[in-house]
Amino acid sequence: MSIQKTFSICGMCTVRCPIQVETEHGEIKFIEGNPNVPAMKGAVCPRGAAGKALIMDKERPQSPMIRVGERGEGKWRTVGWDEALDYVANKLKAVTEQHGARSIAFSDRGGPFQDLHKAFVNGLGSPNFCNHDASCARNVEHACLSVAGIGRKELVYDLKNAKHVVLQFRNIFEAVNVQEVNNLMDAMEGGCKLTVIDIRANISATKATRFMMIRPGTDYAFNLAVIHELLDKNLYDKKFAHLWIKDFNQLEAFVKPYTPEWAETETGITADEIRTLVRELAEAMPSVIWHPGWMAARYRHSFYICRSIYIINALLGAIGAKGGLPLASKPGDVGKTGLKPLADLYPKPPEKRADGAGWRYPHITGGAGLAHLMYRAMDTDDPYPVKAYMAYRHDPLMGFPDPDRLKQIFAKLDLLVSVTFSWSDTAWFSDVVLPLSPYLERESIIASKNGLKPQFFVRHRALEPRYDTKADWEIISGLSRRLGVNALTFSSIEEIWNYQLQPTGVSISDFKATGIVNLAASPKYRTMEELKFNTPSGKLEIISEKLEKQGLPSLLPYTSPTQPPEGQFRLTFGRCALHTQGHTVNNPLLFEQMPENVLWINANAAKSLGISNNSTVVVSQNDYSETIQAKVTDAIHPDAVFVIHGFGHTLPVESRALGRGLADNKFMKGGLDIWDPAGGAIAFQEHFVSVAPAGNI
Ligand SMILES: Nc1nc2c(c(=O)[nH]1)N[C@H]1C(S)=C(S)[C@@H](COP(=O)(O)OP(=O)(O)OC[C@H]3O[C@@H](n4cnc5c(=O)[nH]c(N)nc54)[C@H](O)[C@@H]3O)O[C@H]1N2
Ligand SMILES: Nc1nc2c(c(=O)[nH]1)N[C@H]1C(S)=C(S)[C@@H](COP(=O)(O)OP(=O)(O)OC[C@H]3O[C@@H](n4cnc5c(=O)[nH]c(N)nc54)[C@H](O)[C@@H]3O)O[C@H]1N2
Ligand code: SF4
Ligand SMILES: [Mo]
């Protein structure tokens, strides 16, 4: 048999890069970036390349399982798909009979493939569909909505054409999106400047034109001073401000006290450095991207930091500009018709959401919702009982704070189902594990991506499933058949694809040549006059009526962060290029390259504690502690310690990952209740830990 090439979509992380997979005799030979997508440059990141090891891994769930022991005990009965789906369907029916369909909750990973899941939850008659985003980018999303009336993804980061990029709590070269990395590198080769503002010198900092180490939790002070300086020195884009910024005078009055000198005392970054940055940004405007952030679920006021970033971008005329944050086009903007939504097959249930999004919290949008408040409803039965929960491609016991507390809540459920391709803490605690075929072994529904050139793309199977696993459309169809959700009982993926493509004029065969259907020939930029925002005034709004109505200020006065108590540190975290969240530590290839995380600790702080580089230290919080190796370095702020998230696994089924490194989420006691009331996201970095040499304990 000769080598076969399949266009597909990587699924090792949330970015979902277009790939080409070479297979021979049912084995993966090579995975590369789809050569038809220039910005991929034929590359995938190390995790994308490790997809092969995921397929071969015997330590992933290989067939459906029903729990026989206590929750979390790890005693399972291996069953066939019919039995597993019957079991889940019967439990869902029982919950519906007793509490109503609204008592079923479903969460997934957001992104381009969620339409089918939404359709399923609508079909069940529950309003409780949500995703992981309260633990990730919700604050960015709501900040963008509050300023521009549009979601964050309706603005493109036009890195390729940028002249100055600012990364603040955004580590673009390690928290990877392959096309973004390539575009930024191209721009930098052409002279684009890169400023990194971070609490530690990450890899992005090592490539930056300028790195500023900021005191953790003071980014808002920095940004207010930047706004102050832009206005005070008249360096902003006046034409843009005149056309598009509403409530400009309120902003000017608000930032008066926030001078660069004031910010210096808060942030540790000198007034001179702040002024130089502002001058350089003004020189490069409007082709500037001050990245609004991605994992911005860090502080109780992170929403306001993100808002201040959108305001800075607006003052620089960057919103809507080439080389800045141009508006994404939807199919309709380029004269095409979008996919037919599967979710429309059933009406949206009229019930109120259990997480309060849209009614108890009118400034919080539905859709992604707030998973931690869904969990709160499971705990309190307020506003009503939530008794069944399907976590699809979602591991809240790893991805939300305080897993012990969350387990107590999940223990109250009548049914917890995990649909997953690898073991996870949530799967281990579930009643039923439905093993999803890894992305290389499954098709997905057609996805649509808005952008400078909107496109449709499709994930094909590169291989037949090695174990008794199924694609999500097969799982959803199987459940739908049993639950009378008749519109979703598809018998082939082509049936779904054809349904989605009906109004578009595109056919399945159009994906053959490249795996992608571009809906526009060239990128669409708009002139400053052509921009369009969805706020009540149609402009970028400094004062948001929606927030004010909830008693939340549009312009939050600055308060200094709580200092870590003597001898303690703020626990901070982030990503590395070699792992995705918590689910790749046990991947044989990636494990080999990075088997555990280390604790970054400032050299002076370490010295005063008697901690030397590479020594073992004990990290503790109240009566909980774990050990980890110290990385003693000048490259981190003395107030913080830092780890890569996702380590410290405890499942016996993951022999490699077991016991390696430290789990940051376990040092966040009470963290499910610590969140940003305006942006909705969890405030993960409001926790302190003590560190001591291991020998002293
Ligand atoms: N303490 C702490 N908590 C955090 C973070 C942190 O840094 N520190 N990061 C936060 C962030 S940014 C996020 S986005 C969330 C992430 O939290 P999650 O969304 O829960 O994380 P993932 O590991 O991406 O995916 C969860 C599960 O989906 C399964 N899965 C099934 N199918 C697929 C697939 O096709 N692709 C992939 N990739 N996985 C699949 C994986 O095996 C994994 O078990 O966690 C957040 N929580
Ligand atoms: N390799 C890899 N790539 C990924 C992922 C992955 O798991 N692995 N996950 C994807 C996902 S889901 C997401 S959300 C994105 C996340 O993308 P990012 O948000 O860019 O990633 P992080 O590493 O969480 O955080 C970025 C930086 O914030 C810094 N930081 C922490 N606290 C502060 C602070 O108070 N102030 C400032 N200025 N900086 C601070 C950290 O030191 C870190 O360098 O990455 C995506 N890409
Ligand atoms: S960034 Fe890497 S892991 Fe994520 S989708 Fe792209 S190639 Fe895959
Ligand atoms: Mo994320």
Side-chain angles (χ1 to χ4, degrees):
M1 205 159 69
S2 61
I3 288 186
Q4 275 193 312
K5 292 185 181 181
T6 311
F7 294 121
S8 195
I9 307 292
C10 181
M12 284 297 279
C13 88
T14 190
V15 173
R16 299 159 173 113
C17 293
I19 52 173
Q20 177 170 270
V21 187
E22 289 184 13
T23 51
E24 193 179 22
H25 307 303
E27 303 245 329
I28 306 280
K29 288 284 155 203
F30 192 52
I31 303 173
E32 61 186 322
N34 184 330
N36 302 295
V37 180
M40 287 300 293
K41 300 198 171 175
V44 286
C45 81
R47 299 162 301 144
K52 182 176 168 170
L54 170 68
I55 296 291
M56 306 300 286
D57 189 1
K58 289 199 175 70
E59 292 191 337
R60 62 176 164 98
Q62 298 183 13
S63 51
M65 270 166 286
I66 297 178
R67 172 173 69 85
V68 289
E70 292 300 310
R71 278 201 167 114
E73 204 186 358
K75 292 192 178 145
W76 304 97
R77 191 159 60 86
T78 298
V79 297
W81 276 97
D82 276 337
E83 186 175 346
L85 295 178
D86 284 347
Y87 184 93
V88 173
N90 288 336
K91 286 272 182 182
L92 291 178
K93 274 185 205 159
V95 164
T96 305
E97 268 161 33
Q98 207 184 336
H99 303 283
R102 66 184 186 178
S103 195
I104 302 171
F106 187 111
S107 66
D108 77 1
R109 190 43 154 82
F113 302 122
Q114 50 182 322
D115 191 20
L116 182 63
H117 306 149
K118 268 191 196 154
F120 178 62
V121 182
N122 284 351
L124 292 174
S126 172
N128 293 319
F129 174 82
C130 65
N131 69 31
H132 73 292
D133 209 40
S135 66
C136 180
R138 257 318 72 184
N139 289 331
V140 191
E141 177 73 9
H142 283 123
C144 193
L145 278 166
S146 76
V147 174
I150 53 178
R152 69 185 177 108
K153 291 184 184 164
E154 292 182 62
L155 293 174
V156 176
Y157 306 135
D158 190 11
L159 291 155
K160 202 176 175 70
N161 296 303
K163 294 195 183 129
H164 197 142
V165 172
V166 179
L167 300 177
Q168 186 176 26
F169 56 91
R170 172 77 185 97
N171 183 6
I172 213 164
F173 289 113
E174 287 179 274
V176 174
N177 169 323
V178 173
Q179 296 186 59
E180 284 187 5
V181 169
N182 288 337
N183 285 337
L184 179 57
M185 294 215 293
D186 282 354
M188 286 172 73
E189 266 167 36
C192 171
K193 287 186 178 169
L194 176 66
T195 293
V196 171
I197 306 162
D198 207 287
I199 54 148
R200 64 184 181 115
N202 56 22
I203 298 288
S204 302
T206 65
K207 298 187 190 299
T209 325
R210 179 189 298 107
F211 167 57
M212 294 188 257
M213 194 188 289
I214 193 164
R215 179 161 79 94
T218 66
D219 291 273
Y220 190 46
F222 186 92
N223 295 5
L224 292 178
V226 166
I227 298 175
H228 173 104
E229 186 68 6
L230 278 169
L231 298 185
D232 190 55
K233 298 282 176 355
N234 261 314
L235 291 172
Y236 63 96
D237 186 328
K238 284 167 210 75
K239 186 176 167 205
F240 185 92
H242 178 72
L243 266 177
W244 291 114
I245 303 183
K246 188 170 165 284
D247 322 308
F248 189 85
N249 295 343
Q250 276 104 314
L251 180 66
E252 207 164 24
F254 174 72
V255 295
K256 272 265 145 61
Y258 300 123
T259 62
E261 279 70 20
W262 165 82
E264 176 173 334
T265 59
E266 276 301 313
T267 62
I269 297 167
T270 66
D272 273 356
E273 283 179 283
I274 297 174
R275 291 209 162 89
T276 309
L277 171 64
V278 171
R279 221 174 22 249
E280 286 182 12
L281 292 175
E283 280 161 17
M285 75 181 185
S287 297
V288 171
I289 303 170
W290 190 309
H291 198 294
W294 193 348
M295 202 306 176
R298 296 192 190 267
Y299 299 100
R300 278 199 184 85
H301 70 293
S302 279
F303 166 81
Y304 289 98
I305 308 178
C306 299
R307 247 179 87 77
S308 66
I309 296 178
Y310 282 108
I311 291 172
I312 293 170
N313 281 312
L315 291 170
L316 293 168
I319 294 190
K322 184 170 181 180
L325 298 88
L327 290 180
S329 288
K330 302 190 176 82
D333 298 325
V334 294
K336 299 282 164 52
T337 307
L339 299 172
K340 190 168 175 179
L342 292 155
D344 288 354
L345 281 164
Y346 288 96
K348 216 167 174 244
E351 303 262 9
K352 289 175 171 168
R353 296 173 60 99
D355 60 5
W359 61 280
R360 192 174 272 169
Y361 309 103
H363 59 294
I364 301 290
T365 52
L370 301 181
H372 54 291
L373 297 188
M374 196 71 80
Y375 305 147
R376 183 182 284 182
M378 290 172 190
D379 189 34
T380 59
D381 289 353
D382 172 25
Y384 50 76
V386 175
K387 288 290 175 192
Y389 176 32
M390 286 186 69
Y392 167 89
R393 220 215 112 160
H394 189 198
D395 182 9
L397 287 177
M398 173 67 80
F400 275 82
D402 202 348
D404 287 342
R405 177 82 192 95
L406 200 48
K407 277 183 193 168
Q408 289 171 356
I409 295 174
F410 287 168
K412 296 183 171 184
L413 292 167
D414 292 348
L415 178 70
L416 176 61
V417 182
S418 179
V419 187
T420 180
F421 68 28
S422 70
W423 276 109
S424 69
D425 291 348
T426 306
W428 195 247
F429 199 72
S430 295
D431 303 312
V432 185
V433 177
L434 299 178
L436 192 63
S437 301
Y439 59 95
L440 294 167
E441 295 181 341
R442 72 175 193 252
E443 312 89 350
S444 297
I445 62 171
I446 293 175
S448 179
K449 191 170 179 206
N450 301 330
L452 291 172
K453 284 201 282 184
Q455 56 178 222
F456 298 148
F457 56 100
V458 67
R459 171 183 282 145
H460 290 110
R461 258 178 220 228
L463 292 169
E464 286 308 309
R466 174 171 290 255
Y467 303 126
D468 191 14
T469 61
K470 285 200 187 296
D472 67 325
W473 70 267
E474 294 172 301
I475 297 172
I476 296 290
S477 295
L479 286 175
S480 296
R481 213 164 277 130
R482 288 164 172 83
L483 288 161
V485 183
N486 295 333
L488 300 180
T489 55
F490 300 102
S491 53
S492 71
I493 189 69
E494 286 77 13
E495 203 183 328
I496 304 183
W497 290 345
N498 281 325
Y499 176 87
Q500 294 181 283
L501 289 172
Q502 261 173 43
T504 63
V506 172
S507 74
I508 298 174
S509 56
D510 295 335
F511 291 89
K512 272 239 166 71
T514 61
I516 280 159
V517 171
N518 281 313
L519 302 180
S522 53
K524 180 179 161 90
Y525 291 99
R526 285 161 237 238
T527 63
M528 196 191 289
E529 288 75 15
E530 286 170 341
L531 298 178
K532 217 173 150 226
F533 304 105
N534 252 343
T535 50
S537 64
K539 297 194 176 197
L540 299 172
E541 296 186 345
I542 303 296
I543 305 298
S544 157
E545 221 173 278
K546 228 182 200 174
L547 289 175
E548 303 279 331
K549 266 197 189 148
Q550 292 313 302
L552 296 160
S554 303
L555 294 165
L556 180 77
Y558 178 80
T559 40
S560 205
T562 319
Q563 271 301 107
E566 182 63 29
Q568 295 188 31
F569 301 86
R570 188 179 289 276
L571 179 61
T572 69
F573 53 77
R575 267 131 280 284
C576 64
L578 287 168
H579 284 290
T580 299
Q581 305 295 350
H583 79 265
T584 56
V585 182
N586 204 50
N587 177 299
L589 270 178
L590 297 171
F591 175 82
E592 198 181 294
Q593 292 179 68
M594 181 175 171
E596 58 191 31
N597 56 359
V598 294
L599 186 83
W600 290 48
I601 182 166
N602 176 272
N604 284 334
K607 196 168 170 202
S608 66
L609 291 167
I611 292 168
S612 53
N613 195 26
N614 296 331
S615 67
T616 304
V617 293
V618 179
V619 178
S620 57
Q621 186 184 66
N622 301 324
D623 53 359
Y624 185 75
S625 62
E626 289 189 35
T627 54
I628 184 171
Q629 207 182 40
K631 171 184 165 120
V632 174
T633 169
D634 289 328
I636 182 166
H637 194 279
D639 285 2
V641 287
F642 173 93
V643 289
I644 300 296
H645 168 61
F647 289 81
H649 288 219
T650 56
L651 306 184
V653 272
E654 297 183 311
S655 67
R656 293 170 288 271
L658 181 64
R660 304 299 293 264
L662 172 143
D664 58 341
N665 53 328
K666 292 192 180 153
F667 292 88
M668 299 173 178
K669 288 282 174 232
L672 288 167
D673 296 317
I674 304 177
W675 51 287
D676 184 325
I682 292 282
F684 280 97
Q685 285 191 179
E686 301 281 12
H687 301 271
F688 301 114
V689 292
S690 304
V691 185
N696 289 5
I697 298 288

